[in-house]
């Protein structure tokens, strides 16, 4: 009986993660093409990296919560017709790990690359 409950919880967790993944990609469809391509690549990479983590890992809950916040935030911006994105506060930056800071720097470099298609 306990095994059946555990398997049910695993299946439910997988469905929730898949639903969130699809939701984020759906929200990203509203982004301009360049941002969408970069964003989708990042989303796919991040979800793939976290795929093997145990569902009860505290980092998984934080990971999923941050992606929910991202999707909520973008959806609200699109609904209100606001510009997309928001600035990180000093507090936000101070809470980032070294790995996250590295990813943020790489994302910034990618976002600021000159558009070679217009040359």
């Amino acid at each position: 009986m306990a095994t059946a409950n555990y398997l049910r919880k695993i299946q439910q967790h997988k469905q929730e993660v898949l639903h969130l993944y699809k939701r984020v990609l759906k929200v990203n469809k509203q982004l301009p093409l360049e941002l969408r391509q970069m964003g989708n690549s990042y989303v796919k990479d991040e979800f793939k990296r976290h795929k093997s983590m145990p569902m009860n890992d505290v980092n998984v809950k934080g990971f999923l919560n941050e992606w929910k916040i991202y999707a909520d935030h973008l959806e609200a911006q699109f609904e209100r017709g606001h510009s997309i994105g928001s600035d990180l506060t000093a507090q936000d930056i101070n809470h980032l790990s070294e790995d996250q800071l590295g990813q943020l720097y790489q994302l910034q470099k990618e976002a600021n690359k000159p558009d070679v298609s217009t040359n």
Side-chain angles (χ1 to χ4, degrees):
M1 189 67 147
T3 303
N5 285 337
Y6 181 71
L7 291 175
R8 196 173 311 112
K9 284 183 180 181
I10 289 175
Q11 187 61 30
Q12 181 181 1
H13 174 74
K14 286 181 179 181
Q15 288 174 344
E16 289 172 5
V17 172
L18 183 59
H19 174 74
L20 178 60
Y21 176 74
K22 288 179 178 181
R23 179 181 172 213
V24 170
L25 291 176
K26 184 178 178 182
V27 170
N28 280 356
K29 284 183 179 183
Q30 298 178 70
L31 292 170
L33 180 61
E34 300 83 21
L35 291 177
R36 181 179 344 133
Q37 290 171 337
M38 183 175 55
N40 286 348
S41 176
Y42 185 75
V43 169
K44 290 173 185 178
D45 182 53
E46 282 294 295
F47 273 79
K48 183 184 266 187
R49 257 194 275 178
H50 287 79
K51 187 176 185 177
S52 62
M53 292 181 77
M55 70 178 190
N56 59 352
D57 187 313
V58 68
N59 293 320
V60 170
K61 290 180 182 182
F63 171 81
L64 296 175
N65 187 53
E66 289 301 318
W67 281 108
K68 285 177 187 173
I69 291 169
Y70 167 83
D72 291 343
H73 191 73
L74 266 186
E75 285 172 347
Q77 288 177 330
F78 289 134
E79 287 172 6
R80 293 182 183 103
H82 292 171
S83 60
I84 54 175
S86 61
D87 294 331
L88 292 173
T89 66
Q91 183 180 6
D92 291 334
I93 294 171
N94 288 335
H95 283 97
L96 297 176
S97 68
E98 290 294 320
D99 186 46
Q100 290 170 323
L101 287 170
Q103 290 175 2
L104 184 61
Y105 177 69
Q106 291 302 319
L107 187 61
Q108 180 186 23
K109 280 182 16 183
E110 188 69 27
N112 291 323
K113 275 186 181 177
D115 185 6
V116 294
S117 66
T118 59
N119 293 338

